[in-house]
Amino acid sequence: SRSCNSLCPSPFQLAALERQVFDFLGYQWAPILANFLHIIIVILGLFGTIQYRPRYIVVYAIWTAIWVTWNIFIICFYLEVGGLSKDSELLTFNISRHQSWWSENGPGCVRKEASMSGIKGLDNHSYISVIGCALEYRYIEVMHSSFQILIALVGFVYACYVVSVFTEEEDSFDFIGGFDPFPLYHVNEKPTNLLFKQTYL
């Protein structure tokens, strides 16, 4: 129904929210900001579809291209393409040394802490090791980004389709109204011969 379309979350929103949750858990500040902006644009695109606002849908379509580019960068980051390193602090704006949440909580991962009290300068610290991961965390992040790219491409195609439908409807409406031989404010005038007779009389 129309009310549900305006209130119920779409698959695009759910996918973005799911990624936002795990980025928050990993303190990945750059992806957090990107995800937040993405969620806003998705809501804007849905609003444009429901409220017949083609401009909002065009904004969403343009954003999908940016979103695809961002996710390609994330893939290159975790696969260490072009000199990028997954161990760098680029995604945390160099304010923390946190990594992806999946690095310690992936499928099959076992997290162990070892005391560093015997080493000078590292008292009261612990060394965290992760073993037994069935899948390395960078591949999980790559799959997340690949899924986001797939959804963005579907959203782009759908946005283009909706805009084309709206444009066709507007063109057909203009055609019907623009070539109407009888305007809305048409005033029925008397024939000139009838006016002539009245003047004569």
Side-chain angles (χ1 to χ4, degrees):
S1 64
R2 185 181 180 88
S3 61
C4 184
N5 287 337
S6 60
L7 296 176
C8 298
S10 69
F12 304 98
Q13 289 173 303
L14 292 176
L17 287 172
E18 180 268 344
R19 186 171 183 179
Q20 182 75 309
V21 168
F22 290 113
D23 285 336
F24 258 118
L25 292 173
Y27 302 98
Q28 304 293 290
W29 304 116
I32 286 171
L33 292 176
N35 293 333
F36 178 77
L37 184 58
H38 178 62
I39 292 171
I40 297 299
I41 299 297
V42 169
I43 294 174
L44 187 67
L46 292 174
F47 177 81
T49 303
I50 296 169
Q51 298 295 325
Y52 200 87
R53 303 290 179 87
R55 291 182 180 180
Y56 292 171
I57 305 174
V58 170
V59 170
Y60 169 76
I62 295 173
W63 169 254
T64 56
I66 301 174
W67 185 242
V68 167
T69 304
W70 166 255
N71 281 279
I72 290 174
F73 166 76
I74 294 296
I75 291 174
C76 293
F77 176 83
Y78 282 106
L79 294 181
E80 301 183 327
V81 176
L84 295 171
S85 174
K86 69 182 187 326
D87 297 322
S88 70
E89 301 172 14
L90 184 62
L91 298 184
T92 59
F93 295 136
N94 295 321
I95 60 177
S96 68
R97 296 188 61 84
H98 289 91
Q99 291 183 329
S100 169
W101 181 83
W102 297 103
S103 63
E104 298 180 5
N105 301 276
C109 292
V110 178
R111 186 172 180 268
K112 292 185 176 181
E113 295 187 12
S115 176
M116 305 289 288
S117 58
I119 303 177
K120 183 179 179 180
L122 293 178
D123 293 343
N124 300 325
H125 288 72
S126 60
Y127 172 76
I128 300 174
S129 63
V130 181
I131 59 174
C133 295
L135 185 64
E136 193 174 349
Y137 75 92
R138 62 174 179 168
Y139 297 121
I140 298 177
E141 292 288 356
V142 167
M143 287 190 294
H144 264 96
S145 293
S146 300
F147 183 65
Q148 290 292 330
I149 291 174
L150 178 62
I151 291 181
L153 293 176
V154 173
F156 177 80
V157 173
Y158 179 74
C160 292
Y161 169 75
V162 172
V163 170
S164 65
V165 170
F166 286 176
T167 303
E168 289 177 1
E169 291 180 357
E170 289 179 354
D171 290 343
S172 62
F173 178 78
D174 291 341
F175 176 80
I176 295 172
F179 291 90
D180 188 0
F182 300 100
L184 288 175
Y185 302 101
H186 178 71
V187 179
N188 291 324
E189 298 178 354
K190 295 181 179 180
T192 54
N193 58 349
L194 182 60
L195 290 174
F196 178 77
K197 289 180 179 180
Q198 289 179 349
T199 304
Y200 180 76
L201 295 174

